[in-house]
Amino acid sequence: MSDRSRREDDGVVYRTFDVDEADPNVSVARTVAELENVETEELTPLYGCIDHILEHVFSDPPVPAAEAQITFSYEGYRITVEQDGNAVFRKQGGRE
């Protein structure tokens, strides 16, 4: 897997996704499945939650100066993905 990962002491997980990957939705679902120790097939399909928003940010990104990011909730996590591939996963209801 080409994604870089680190977990901070506060329980927040940081990832850097490959923005050239065919489907960034897969990267998000794969990360949540890993964090929850389940198979991706056990998760709600991400397409039904945020449609194709991530694909558009990576395939046709705004100019870098825009510093676009998408924040959404999925499977108990508050997730922020930036146009450069950096992502933050925060467990909802956990430590602040």
Side-chain angles (χ1 to χ4, degrees):
M1 178 152 69
S2 62
D3 303 336
R4 292 191 325 253
S5 173
R6 74 180 203 270
R7 183 184 296 262
E8 297 295 323
D9 291 337
D10 61 2
V12 176
V13 174
Y14 298 87
R15 289 277 169 106
T16 300
F17 297 133
D18 180 357
V19 297
D20 296 323
E21 182 174 329
D23 190 348
N25 295 299
V26 172
S27 295
V28 169
R30 185 175 43 215
T31 300
V32 171
E34 178 186 313
L35 294 173
E36 291 297 305
N37 198 29
V38 299
E39 297 295 322
T40 54
E41 296 80 21
E42 297 177 49
L43 302 175
T44 303
L46 191 56
Y47 296 109
C49 300
I50 62 167
D51 199 15
H52 297 278
I53 295 171
L54 287 177
E55 293 170 36
H56 295 296
V57 168
F58 287 170
S59 66
D60 189 22
V63 295
E67 298 181 13
Q69 64 182 19
I70 299 166
T71 301
F72 57 95
S73 294
Y74 176 66
E75 293 287 339
Y77 287 85
R78 191 70 180 157
I79 302 166
T80 299
V81 180
E82 298 177 4
Q83 75 187 49
D84 64 1
N86 288 319
V88 179
F89 293 74
R90 288 181 176 84
K91 184 80 171 171
Q92 293 179 316
R95 292 182 286 178
E96 297 292 323

